[in-house]
Amino acid sequence: MVKVDACAVGLHYLVFKQVARDIAEAVGMGYAETPRDAVRAGCRNLLIVDNVNERVGFIARRWRAEAGGDVVFYAVTEGPVVVAPGDGYGRYIAELTRIVTPSDHARRWLEEAGYHVEAVVPHGVRVPEKAKGYEGRARRAIYRAYYIKRKFPPYGIAAVRKAMSQGYPITIYIRDDLYPQGLEPRHQALLQALGQGVVIENSWSTTREKVLSDIEGSLFFLNLADGGGFELEVLESMAVGTPAITAYFPPISEYYPRNELTVEPIGEWDEGYPYITIVHYAYNPDDMVEAIRRAFEMPRERWEALSAELRERAREYDYRRVYQAFAKLLG
């Protein structure tokens, strides 16, 4: 393994920290919780996994001043970029970082904003040697996400409610930080909207192994999301041979094979935040319910063939292979 004089840092979100850890392991670099920890560790170069926001420019400027090394920005965006390359800290992103995106979808948004994207490196995944077969799984569809609108769009909630009312076994894990003051109001509202079949889960204390074990132990992964920068959960479900019932939007369409469990979007709408715009690819809730029906009526032989196909496709995204691209960028 090539040793790289660099540290990988994932900012803010658990998934970004997970990706940073995987890159560090695959490439042979250090992992740090924060850029300051990376400075203390003596790393010369830095890899940041984050959304496109001004904090990345601030960090890049400080890093160049204090450590003097290169900064690679593994940039995730779910829509048009608000932080422009000619303004404020966006200028430091453009001038001081080498930008890499996990999908062509994200690359397009950054380039439209005026940034130069050096490479597209898809997210990597761990593919176990073996996965549970049909008989070793619970007859259910599983979904796990914290609440933001793109993870639980209104038509996704409507589809789940209708499918549950028709008797389809679906378990929804709502990820919450579970601070001492209790469940967040947004998750309380989601719990009321979904009713039965919901499990509240502490985001920080639930291990990655538990998450993957739950997906592998279910016949299907029900992806309610309608947009994203990559949607790593779908790739992780593929790695353990769990077919995904999902809307077929970019960037999922870049790596997930279209099949009888994919649902075509019917339109787009934008959701604005201070530093990002999320593009939602709307789908018809009845189309999603029909896909759920097709899943549970799927013959075992077809499930086994689809499961094997998805695992084979996931092997193309083995994290130890795809993340080697960062060794060249940081070496």
Side-chain angles (χ1 to χ4, degrees):
M1 179 184 291
V2 177
K3 293 294 181 181
V4 178
D5 181 20
C7 277
V9 174
L11 296 179
H12 194 60
Y13 295 113
L14 279 174
V15 65
F16 290 168
K17 294 181 181 297
Q18 172 187 317
V19 168
R21 287 182 185 277
D22 285 349
I23 293 171
E25 179 185 329
V27 177
M29 68 172 76
Y31 169 79
E33 282 292 320
T34 68
R36 285 182 61 81
D37 290 336
V39 170
R40 294 189 188 103
C43 288
R44 174 171 171 76
N45 302 320
L46 181 69
L47 183 144
I48 302 172
V49 186
D50 200 1
N51 287 123
V52 183
N53 56 64
E54 291 191 338
R55 111 180 121 217
V56 175
F58 174 81
I59 292 168
R61 186 185 184 193
R62 288 288 299 271
W63 187 265
R64 280 294 186 91
E66 294 182 16
D70 292 334
V71 178
V72 170
F73 176 26
Y74 198 17
V76 181
T77 184
E78 293 90 1
V81 176
V82 175
V83 180
D87 299 330
Y89 285 103
R91 178 163 61 90
Y92 299 119
I93 295 175
E95 295 177 357
L96 302 181
T97 75
R98 306 175 72 181
I99 299 174
V100 179
T101 63
S103 64
D104 283 322
H105 181 63
R107 174 192 57 78
R108 177 168 65 87
W109 292 122
L110 275 140
E111 289 182 344
E112 284 188 4
Y115 291 96
H116 170 69
V117 176
E118 192 152 336
V120 174
V121 178
H123 285 325
V125 71
R126 298 164 186 260
V127 184
E129 287 188 20
K130 296 181 180 179
K132 288 182 179 180
Y134 187 90
E135 290 295 338
R137 297 170 180 249
R139 187 178 180 274
R140 70 170 182 176
I142 187 175
Y143 182 55
R144 174 183 267 107
Y146 57 90
Y147 179 81
I148 56 176
K149 196 168 288 185
R150 73 174 182 85
K151 291 289 188 179
F152 287 96
Y155 28 87
I157 294 173
V160 167
R161 287 170 60 91
K162 187 169 183 177
M164 284 181 172
S165 72
Q166 294 177 6
Y168 292 110
I170 298 170
T171 302
I172 306 291
Y173 287 86
I174 299 176
R175 309 204 72 171
D176 188 273
D177 291 338
L178 293 177
Y179 291 122
Q181 63 265 37
L183 195 64
E184 294 182 36
R186 59 182 177 169
H187 288 155
Q188 293 177 21
L190 188 59
L191 193 62
Q192 272 193 325
L194 291 174
Q196 61 177 331
V198 174
V199 179
I200 303 299
E201 178 179 80
N202 189 307
S203 300
W204 298 97
S205 64
T206 303
T207 65
R208 186 178 183 184
E209 290 74 21
K210 168 69 162 56
V211 170
L212 295 176
S213 176
D214 286 345
I215 295 174
E216 185 185 4
S218 306
L219 279 181
F220 302 101
F221 180 76
L222 174 60
N223 184 44
L224 297 180
D226 67 353
F230 188 84
E231 294 303 272
L232 184 57
E233 301 95 335
V234 174
L235 183 60
E236 288 176 332
S237 74
M238 292 166 61
V240 294
T242 305
I245 307 164
T246 182
Y248 204 62
F249 57 86
I252 289 176
S253 55
E254 293 182 29
Y255 62 87
Y256 189 75
R258 180 184 268 111
N259 56 57
E260 64 267 44
L261 303 185
T262 55
V263 174
E264 296 301 318
I266 58 173
E268 300 177 15
W269 59 281
D270 294 348
E271 180 187 12
Y273 285 90
Y275 66 88
I276 196 171
T277 298
I278 294 178
V279 176
H280 295 260
Y281 296 89
Y283 54 86
N284 187 315
D286 289 333
D287 291 343
M288 182 63 79
V289 174
E290 277 300 298
I292 293 169
R293 179 192 61 77
R294 288 194 294 272
F296 284 102
E297 293 180 0
M298 181 179 288
R300 172 175 174 169
E301 294 76 14
R302 172 55 185 155
W303 183 95
E304 290 174 339
L306 182 56
S307 175
E309 176 190 350
L310 295 173
R311 272 177 52 79
E312 191 61 32
R313 175 69 169 152
R315 287 189 178 93
E316 299 176 24
Y317 296 86
D318 185 289
Y319 78 107
R320 293 164 297 187
R321 183 174 68 84
V322 297
Y323 287 151
Q324 285 306 308
F326 289 112
K328 299 175 183 177
L329 292 166
L330 288 164

